[in-house]
């Protein structure tokens, strides 16, 4: 017998679908329910490598952690990794299968993936008591409905009830809820069970008349009003957008242990990927992380991080155009710390041979590390374990670039020359002992009286965050009604709201 299911859709991108899905997963697992997350198709530059060597969206990996299960490719069968505004690498069942334009993907390829997506969902539902699915964007994107495999397309085929999340902090949430339903066909509307208000500030009693009117207009209940709370985001996923300042999760940071803070500047390079690597730095008391795009912003930084990217050659060009490359060269000459991760490691090398990603051929790197990079068609997807600075380190690798290290001091899979460090390992800074040892090296080189906290556990902070998401659902959603929805499907007899989808 298949397990229960639910599709969490949203009125817009960033309405809170990822957070709500993770919260429902954590609430359910605390009730003893065996639950798994699922997102049929994800567009993200932030990805993760599962134990079997499959690449999936980081949001689904975090949702799996919320559900206390090991992430697998089944949970995110289709991952799109943008390479520009018009094309993406298609990752199917954890492996790259090619580069497609948006027109090519939506023009037929996407539809052909529906069978794979439904098979993955069916396998999860055969294994778990409940599968909480996340939609993408809005289910009312009428231009894309014919080929949809992530919103109502999958809801219809798998008979999933749909909960629509709306971000009231943006304004217009009632119009968004009503309009979302009213732009769906009658068959799609029959599965839209109701709504969930996200990020509400103030007195809920003032909202209740509007919720009653919404019920009168649509015949659909609101399953909860979640209050606005700082620092509840999980790893970002959708699109190419990233704020240059303030990307790191808002949170209450403890004062520094030592006399000084440590300032970290992250170069906001194009097609930045897995910038979640710096979350572990931001979690440290006394470490201040900001994203920068101007050379003068590196001046007072104790550490500069060049993160991963889906466009290494493009990132190099950007660094040079902005004057950041020259600023990095000056830092190296002055013995001031720089850390390059994955694509950021590659730009620090001597040269790059790229006939795969940019097809630019031979490109000179910044020449700060004795490394030569050749892009291979096969993507490296591994979960390495090792040691650095006398500490145990775990990470994950996602890259086409193969690095030949010809000198320097070994550092993970890369090297170190003076205070310039480079590695392909994402996630290494989540290893607490290594992170502390690395920050002590940075503080010494920067002349800062910074002392890493002895008890910061990044894994524990992640768990706290996921528990807060579970609390949000448990305390502010109608959990009895939510469970009935998951177990029994959408209520029968839901009214049709005209005009419905265009013919």
């Amino acid at each position: 017998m298949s397990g229960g299911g639910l599709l969490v859709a949203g009125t817009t991108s960033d309405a809170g679908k990822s957070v709500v899905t993770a919260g429902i997963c954590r609430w359910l697992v605390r009730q003893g329910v065996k639950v798994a997350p699922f997102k049929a198709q994800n567009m993200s530059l932030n990805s993760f490598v599962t134990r079997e060597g499959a690449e999936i969206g980081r949001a689904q990996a975090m949702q799996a952690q919320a559900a206390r299960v090991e992430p697998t490719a089944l949970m995110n069968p289709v991952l799109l990794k943008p390479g520009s505004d018009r094309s993406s690498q298609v990752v199917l069942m954890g492996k790259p299968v090619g580069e497609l334009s948006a027109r090519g993907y939506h023009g037929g390829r996407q539809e052909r993936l529906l069978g794979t997506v439904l098979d993955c969902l069916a396998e999860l539902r055969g294994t778990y008591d409940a599968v909480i699915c996340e939609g993408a964007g809005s289910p009312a994107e009428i231009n894309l409905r014919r080929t949809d495999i992530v919103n109502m397309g999958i809801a219809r085929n798998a008979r999933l009830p749909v909960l629509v999340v709306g971000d009231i902090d943006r304004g217009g949430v009632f119009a968004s809820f009503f309009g979302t339903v009213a732009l769906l066909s009658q068959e799609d509307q029959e599965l839209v069970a109701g709504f969930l208000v996200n990020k509400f500030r103030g007195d809920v009693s003032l909202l209740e008349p509007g919720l009653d009117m919404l019920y009168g207009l649509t015949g659909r209940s609101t399953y909860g009003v979640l209050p606005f709370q700082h620092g509840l985001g999980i790893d970002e996923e959708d699109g190419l957008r990233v704020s240059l300042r303030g990307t790191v999760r808002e949170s209450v940071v403890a004062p520094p242990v030592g006399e000084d803070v440590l300032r970290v500047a992250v170069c906001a390079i194009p097609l930045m990927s897995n910038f979640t690597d710096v979350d572990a730095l931001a979690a440290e008391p006394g470490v201040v992380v900001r994203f920068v795009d101007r050379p003068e912003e590196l001046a007072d930084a104790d550490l500069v991080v060049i993160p991963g990217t889906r466009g290494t050659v493009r990132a190099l060009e950007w660094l040079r155009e902005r004057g950041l490359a020259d600023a990095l060269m000056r830092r190296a000459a002055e013995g001031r710390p720089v850390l390059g991760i994955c694509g950021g490691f590659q730009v620090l090398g001597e040269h790059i041979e790229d006939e795969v990603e940019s097809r630019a051929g031979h490109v000179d790197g910044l020449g700060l590390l004795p490394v030569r990079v050749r892009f291979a068609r096969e993507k490296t997807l591994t979960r390495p374990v090792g040691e650095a600075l006398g500490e145990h380190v775990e990470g994950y690798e996602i890259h086409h670039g193969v690095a030949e290290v010809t000198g320097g001091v070994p550092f993970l899979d890369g090297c170190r020359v003076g205070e310039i460090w480079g590695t392909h390992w994402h996630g290494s800074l989540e290893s607490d002992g290594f992170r502390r040892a690395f920050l002590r090296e940075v503080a010494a080189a920067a002349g800062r009286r910074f002392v890493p906290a002895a008890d910061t556990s990044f894994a524990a902070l992640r768990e706290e965050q996921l528990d807060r998401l579970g609390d949000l659902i448990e305390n502010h959603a109608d959990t009895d009604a939510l469970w009935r929805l998951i177990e029994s499907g959408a209520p029968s007899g839901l009214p049709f709201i005209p005009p419905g989808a265009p013919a």
Side-chain angles (χ1 to χ4, degrees):
M1 179 181 158
S2 275
L6 174 70
L7 177 72
V8 178
T11 54
T12 60
S13 292
D14 301 324
K17 298 183 291 290
S18 297
V19 164
V20 168
T21 301
I24 293 175
C25 285
R26 178 50 58 104
W27 160 64
L28 285 172
V29 78
R30 293 196 306 208
Q31 310 308 307
V33 177
K34 190 180 176 188
V35 59
F38 178 79
K39 184 160 185 170
Q41 172 198 295
N42 192 352
M43 177 173 278
S44 179
L45 286 170
N46 281 338
S47 57
F48 183 75
V49 179
T50 66
R51 292 209 182 278
E52 73 267 29
E55 185 180 8
I56 65 171
R58 271 197 70 95
Q60 279 61 66
M62 289 303 301
Q63 288 161 354
Q65 188 176 340
R68 297 184 180 138
V69 296
E70 189 65 36
T72 74
L74 292 172
M75 297 171 185
N76 179 208
V78 182
L79 173 64
L80 305 178
K81 302 196 74 176
S84 70
D85 288 344
R86 297 192 175 189
S87 70
S88 294
Q89 183 181 66
V90 181
V91 179
L92 179 63
M93 295 304 295
K95 304 296 180 185
V97 293
E99 198 91 12
L100 273 183
S101 67
R103 181 181 290 275
Y105 184 68
H106 291 289
R109 179 64 186 265
Q110 185 181 33
E111 259 182 311
R112 294 197 295 272
L113 296 175
L114 180 61
T116 300
V117 160
L118 290 170
D119 287 347
C120 291
L121 178 57
E123 188 170 339
L124 288 173
R125 293 182 80 180
T127 308
Y128 292 89
D129 301 328
V131 179
I132 309 302
C133 308
E134 181 187 343
S138 159
E141 288 165 353
I142 52 180
N143 55 316
L144 302 177
R145 175 62 185 91
R146 184 179 62 81
T147 59
D148 171 51
I149 64 168
V150 65
N151 290 308
M152 300 312 300
I154 195 167
R156 278 268 289 279
N157 277 280
R159 303 308 299 168
L160 292 170
V162 179
L163 186 68
V164 180
V165 179
D167 179 354
I168 197 169
D169 200 47
R170 295 180 175 196
V173 76
F174 292 115
S176 298
F177 281 146
F178 183 87
T180 296
V181 179
L183 279 175
L184 301 178
S185 67
Q186 181 161 352
E187 294 82 2
D188 285 352
Q189 286 193 25
E190 287 171 0
L191 294 171
V192 178
F195 313 107
L196 189 71
V197 176
N198 192 27
K199 296 186 183 177
F200 180 71
R201 305 175 193 248
D203 184 346
V204 176
S205 65
L206 298 176
L207 189 65
E208 285 167 355
L211 301 179
D212 292 340
M213 286 185 267
L214 184 65
Y215 179 79
L217 288 164
T218 67
R220 289 160 173 85
S221 300
T222 298
Y223 284 72
V225 177
L226 309 183
F228 185 99
Q229 289 185 16
H230 287 289
L232 281 185
I234 66 171
D235 296 346
E236 284 93 342
E237 56 170 50
D238 287 332
L240 300 170
R241 212 166 51 252
V242 61
S243 166
L244 296 184
R245 293 163 189 83
T247 302
V248 175
R249 233 69 70 231
E250 296 177 21
S251 58
V252 179
V253 179
V257 176
E259 294 177 50
D260 289 343
V261 298
L262 211 58
R263 293 174 176 82
V264 179
V266 185
C267 295
I269 55 180
L271 298 174
M272 184 164 42
S273 61
N274 288 66
F275 52 85
T276 45
D277 281 332
V278 301
D279 282 357
L281 296 178
E284 280 285 347
V287 176
V288 179
V289 177
R290 68 183 189 275
F291 285 77
V292 304
D293 60 349
R294 296 190 298 267
E296 55 269 26
E297 293 178 295
L298 303 190
D300 67 343
D302 302 307
L303 169 66
V304 173
V305 177
I306 311 174
T309 173
R310 253 277 282 153
T312 301
V313 171
R314 184 172 161 192
L316 254 174
E317 292 169 351
W318 182 88
L319 289 167
R320 287 178 168 131
E321 288 165 3
R322 296 260 172 163
L324 285 157
D326 290 337
L328 290 166
M329 305 287 274
R330 287 194 296 272
R331 283 188 72 88
E334 293 163 4
R336 303 177 67 201
V338 175
L339 171 64
I341 302 173
C342 201
F345 166 40
Q346 294 166 11
V347 306
L348 294 173
E350 294 166 355
H351 68 251
I352 295 166
E353 292 290 341
D354 182 10
E355 299 295 348
V356 175
E357 194 174 75
S358 67
R359 297 182 176 85
H362 181 97
V363 178
D364 288 333
L366 298 183
L368 299 178
L369 289 176
V371 176
R372 297 165 188 161
V373 177
R374 177 185 54 80
F375 274 67
R377 297 204 175 275
E378 194 73 21
K379 184 184 273 192
T380 298
L381 295 168
T382 62
R383 291 270 292 270
V385 176
E387 189 176 292
L389 303 178
E391 298 286 347
H392 176 79
V393 190
E394 296 182 20
Y396 57 99
E397 294 185 53
I398 306 169
H399 54 91
H400 284 281
V402 178
E404 179 192 356
V405 179
T406 60
V409 177
F411 173 63
L412 301 176
D413 71 325
C415 65
R416 169 190 183 180
V417 173
E419 294 305 322
I420 311 298
W421 312 65
T423 177
H424 274 129
W425 290 25
H426 292 293
S428 62
L429 293 166
E430 295 180 20
S431 298
D432 297 326
F434 165 70
R435 182 181 64 254
R436 287 194 275 269
F438 176 69
L439 289 175
R440 280 193 289 269
E441 292 263 349
V442 169
R448 295 288 185 191
R449 289 169 296 182
F450 168 84
V451 179
D455 57 352
T456 302
S457 165
F458 189 71
L461 290 171
R462 281 283 196 208
E463 278 298 301
E464 275 177 36
Q465 190 182 39
L466 294 171
D467 273 331
R468 288 176 67 201
L469 295 181
D471 293 345
L472 202 65
I473 298 299
E474 193 167 328
N475 297 334
H476 301 283
D478 184 343
T479 51
D480 289 341
L482 205 54
W483 178 244
R484 283 195 299 274
L485 203 60
I486 292 166
E487 198 173 36
S488 306
S492 58
L494 292 169
F496 171 69
I497 309 301

